[in-house]
Structure formats: C-alpha cells, structure tokens
Amino acid sequence: QKEVEQDPGPLSVPEGAIVSLNCTYSNSAFQYFMWYRQYSRKGPELLMYTYSSGNKEDGRFTAQVDKSSKYISLFIRDSQPSDSATYLCATEDTDKLIFGTGTRLQVFP
Amino acid sequence: ETGVTQSPTHLIKTRGQQVTLRCSSQSGHNTVSWYQQALGQGPQFIFQYYREEENGRGNFPPRFSGLQFPNYSSELNVNALELDDSALYLCASSSVKRHEQFFGPGTRLTVL
C-alpha cells in the first residue's frame, strides 16, 4: 500500500464549477498535509498546508483533513481555466515530503 | 526575496555518464531537499541537507550523492547514469518549518 494515494484523473470541469480533489494516507502519525499545484513542465507551487484535522481556507481554495478516515481534500470554488494544472497532495514524515501521484485538472471555458 | 533557482534547465546525457545539478535556496532558508519526479508521478524524496550535512535519505542508491555549501546552495550528483534516471529533478528549500518546502523549477534530465 502506498503511503499517499491519489486518483490521477484527469478531471475535466466547466469554468465556474466546484472542484473536489482527494487523497488518502496510510499512517495515522502524519500531522502536516500539503497541497501543491504544478503547471506543465514547472516545479510544484505550495498552495496551502493544514496541521492535524480541520479546515483551512485561502481565497477560492479550502483544504480539509479528516484524520479519523485518513482522508484529505482540496476544494476549488468558482474554478477558472488558469486553475488547469496537476494538483499534488503531500504529507510530511521526519522532514521529508511524501507525495501522491497528482490529479490532472482541466477547466474548460 | 529570491526564490529557489536551479541549473541547468535541461540536460541530455548518455548512459554511464555522470551529471551535476545545482540549486540555490530561497533567501533565509537553511535546508535543501532533492526530489526526483518521473513522468506522471509525484516527486520522490532523494535526500535532504541541513548545515552541510545529509539529514535523511530516501530509497536511492549511493550513486546519488549531494553537497550543501556554506551559503546553503546545493548540488546533486548522479554517477553511472541509467535510462531510468530520466526525470525532472526538483530542489526544495525550507527553514525550521520543514513541512513548508518551496520548490525550484526543476532540471529535466534525459538519459539516452
């Protein structure tokens, strides 16, 4: 079993839609959960991180962690074509990041 | 504030050769981590450097080695290149908040 599992997609949605991206993880000891956005042929860009359970909001983006089910989510409201990218979830284990495979998102006008 | 920079952008090598990739960390960051990202996969942790010492290593063979310099910049060296080493190599820098890692644009290595 991989430590972080993520549906690779692709996910295709119309502009303005609410997008839900999800990951599961295996180790209940993980405490920090990150979401990165990666445009084609670029490095990952940190969107936000969450500590333990709960929600965190930043503009159109909301990150959610449910430690009881080992489930992490990223919601994007009012999605825009510029949101088209690969979204990577990650967790931190003794200073190293463990990533999911990434979900490719396409927002069409 | 200067972000993480990496050089070169692209590199083409042949099997058996050696390669050195370079990274300059973000201003104020003293920790550098290296990751390998194969096509269609998430980044995989290679190793991390803190205060010029290796501070953790992933599941990569010894032919992957690194250095960190007093100015916190870093190098990744790969010896005896194999075809499977073709990937995007990412450098990330961080400070005391090790979970907040900021990535550079990467070096795309192709091994023929």
Side-chain angles (χ1 to χ4, degrees), chain A residues 2 8 32-34 36 38 40-46 49 86 88 92 94-102, chain B residues 10 33 35 37 40-45 48 55 57-58 88 90 97-106 108:
Chain A
K2 286 188 177 181
Y32 286 98
F33 304 93
M34 280 65 68
Y36 284 83
Q38 186 173 27
S40 182
R41 298 187 170 272
K42 302 289 185 185
E45 171 194 1
L46 179 62
Y49 72 87
T86 295
L88 296 153
E92 183 255 346
T94 53
D95 299 339
K96 73 179 182 190
L97 299 184
I98 303 169
F99 286 88
T101 54
Chain B
H10 296 93
S33 304
Y35 294 82
Q37 186 177 24
Q41 300 296 316
Q44 297 289 315
F45 176 75
Q48 183 180 90
N55 181 47
R57 187 179 183 93
L88 181 68
L90 296 161
K97 294 181 182 178
R98 298 282 171 79
H99 56 276
E100 265 190 301
Q101 297 190 14
F102 296 90
F103 284 81
R108 186 161 297 281

Side-chain angles (χ1 to χ4, degrees), chain A residues 43-64:
Chain A
E45 171 194 1
L46 179 62
L47 288 174
M48 56 204 307
Y49 72 87
T50 311
Y51 175 73
S52 194
S53 278
N55 293 359
K56 188 172 186 178
E57 189 174 318
D58 184 1
R60 297 185 294 111
F61 297 87
T62 299
Q64 196 172 77

